[in-house]
């Protein structure tokens, strides 16, 4: 098992496209091969060794560690399929997009399209994320189809737009248009939620710890429920600040779309 550590040797002041990192076989690459691995910086092809100092050590798991990243680091974890990617710093857009397996951890914040079109694996973000988390990206009819996303901070607009399956957990606040056209999957939000959420919702669950400003009439009020089938989430919900982890006020909709999705608001 190998640990590959990448630290910038130059100032990254323009877009650095790192989507090709997912093609590195961590267990087989040596330092000389990594130094000549091709990536794109400022829209030009260059060698990884020209951009990063590379250090390889033996470890208990295969992983790539990236130090001192910033918002010019684009497409990190794109189509990530196995092993661990750990990033110390902020990154740009499409972090973990189209991911199929493994685990990516960001000790910072990211821009837009985190986990868009994600098919599997796990993403952890220790700070904030931008718009379109777990959503469909350009030209795609559905968003995230499987996997798990955990964000410790706040999230922007259009969270889980057209999400089809999977689990998204947010400890902070979420902007507008959350879960619009949700097909299926579960979204858990500990903080506040913005306006115009769950429009066009078909199925799936939006679990809220705090009561939103308004629930549109397109959702049917089903009263207070003790949802025992959420016992599997009970420890998780308590860690996110839900006091009564199994007691919710339940709404079903979007009824104008013949939807059977759930909005569950904790009775704290």
């Amino acid at each position: 098992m190998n640990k590959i550590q990448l630290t910038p040797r130059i100032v990254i002041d323009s877009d650095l496209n790192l989507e090709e990192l997912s093609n590195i076989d961590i267990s087989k690459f040596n330092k000389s091969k990594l130094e000549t691995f091709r990536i794109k910086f400022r829209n030009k092809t260059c060698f990884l060794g020209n951009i990063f100092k590379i250090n390889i050590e033996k470890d208990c798991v295969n992983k790539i560690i990236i130090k001192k990243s910033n918002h010019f680091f684009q497409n990190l974890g794109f189509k990530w399929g196995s092993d661990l990617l750990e990033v110390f710093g902020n990154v740009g857009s499409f972090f973990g997009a189209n991911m199929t397996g493994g685990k990516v951890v960001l000790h910072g914040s990211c821009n837009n399209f985190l986990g868009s079109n994600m098919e599997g694996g796990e993403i952890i973000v220790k700070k904030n994320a931008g718009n379109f988390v777990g959503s469909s990206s350009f030209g795609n009819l559905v968003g995230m189809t499987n996997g798990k996303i955990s964000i410790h901070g706040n999230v922007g607009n259009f969270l889980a737009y057209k999400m089809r399956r999977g689990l998204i957990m947010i400890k902070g606040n979420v902007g507008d248009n959350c879960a619009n056209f949700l097909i299926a999957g579960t979204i858990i939000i500990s903080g506040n939620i913005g306006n115009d959420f769950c429009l066009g919702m078909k199925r799936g669950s939006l679990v809220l710890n705090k009561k939103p400003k308004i629930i549109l009439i397109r959702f049917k009020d089903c009263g207070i429920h003790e949802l025992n089938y959420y016992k599997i989430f009970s420890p998780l919900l308590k860690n996110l600040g839900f006091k009564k982890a199994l007691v919710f006020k339940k709404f079903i909709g979007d009824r104008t779309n013949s939807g059977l999705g759930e909005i569950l608001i904790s009775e704290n």
Side-chain angles (χ1 to χ4, degrees):
M1 302 290 185
N2 288 326
K3 177 178 75 174
I4 300 171
Q5 181 169 303
L6 306 177
T7 307
R9 62 168 70 247
I10 63 173
V11 176
I12 309 299
D13 56 3
S14 186
D15 281 352
L16 176 64
N17 188 344
L18 293 167
E19 66 179 60
E20 294 297 330
L21 283 186
S22 299
N23 294 323
I24 291 177
D25 188 333
I26 299 173
S27 62
K28 294 181 179 179
F29 265 72
N30 56 39
K31 189 172 182 179
S32 61
K33 284 185 178 181
L34 284 172
E35 286 177 340
T36 56
F37 189 82
R38 296 177 186 273
I39 57 174
K40 287 186 177 181
F41 181 48
R42 296 173 180 163
N43 291 320
K44 294 181 180 179
T45 300
C46 60
F47 293 131
L48 189 69
N50 293 338
I51 306 297
F52 292 98
K53 297 176 184 177
I54 301 171
N55 184 56
I56 302 178
E57 300 176 3
K58 294 296 180 183
D59 205 291
C60 56
V61 295
N62 284 324
K63 59 185 172 183
I64 294 179
I65 294 177
I66 298 178
K67 297 289 189 72
K68 299 181 179 180
S69 63
N70 62 40
H71 67 278
F72 289 113
F73 285 57
Q74 309 289 355
N75 301 308
L76 257 175
F78 181 81
K79 289 188 176 180
W80 193 260
S82 61
D83 303 322
L84 172 65
L85 171 65
E86 193 166 9
V87 183
F88 292 84
N90 299 323
V91 298
S93 296
F94 296 97
F95 184 72
N98 295 80
M99 183 176 173
T100 60
K103 184 176 182 179
V104 297
V105 181
L106 175 63
H107 297 271
S109 297
C110 64
N111 290 343
N112 303 322
F113 293 102
L114 167 77
S116 65
N117 302 113
M118 180 180 181
E119 299 175 17
E122 181 179 6
I123 298 174
I124 298 174
V125 175
K126 295 299 182 72
K127 292 187 179 179
N128 304 316
N131 303 322
F132 294 100
V133 170
S135 299
S136 61
S137 60
F138 308 110
N140 291 283
L141 296 178
V142 298
M144 177 180 179
T145 57
N146 216 333
K148 177 181 175 183
I149 298 176
S150 303
I151 300 172
H152 292 199
N154 300 322
V155 175
N157 303 325
F158 293 100
L159 170 70
Y161 176 71
K162 292 186 176 181
M163 175 183 174
R164 186 164 191 157
R165 198 178 296 112
L167 172 64
I168 298 178
M169 299 178 294
I170 312 296
K171 285 189 176 180
N173 302 320
V174 172
D176 298 334
N177 303 110
C178 172
N180 284 3
F181 299 97
L182 182 71
I183 302 168
T186 301
I187 305 156
I188 302 172
I189 300 171
S190 180
N192 295 311
I193 189 172
N195 299 316
D196 300 323
F197 54 90
C198 293
L199 302 180
M201 183 182 195
K202 291 294 292 183
R203 289 184 181 272
S205 300
L206 174 65
V207 186
L208 302 176
N209 190 32
K210 295 184 179 179
K211 185 177 180 180
K213 294 178 182 178
I214 188 171
I215 300 288
L216 297 177
I217 59 173
R218 62 182 68 207
F219 287 88
K220 181 179 179 181
D221 187 343
C222 299
I224 304 298
H225 292 255
E226 185 172 354
L227 303 178
N228 291 322
Y229 60 86
Y230 267 87
K231 282 182 179 179
I232 188 172
F233 288 129
S234 182
L236 186 73
L237 292 171
K238 288 180 179 178
N239 287 337
L240 286 170
F242 288 70
K243 294 178 181 178
K244 296 181 181 178
L246 301 178
V247 181
F248 299 92
K249 188 165 187 179
K250 182 177 179 179
F251 296 83
I252 296 292
D254 181 338
R255 301 308 296 152
T256 61
N257 194 39
S258 300
L260 295 173
E262 300 177 321
I263 300 174
L264 303 171
I265 304 172
S266 178
E267 287 291 299
N268 284 341

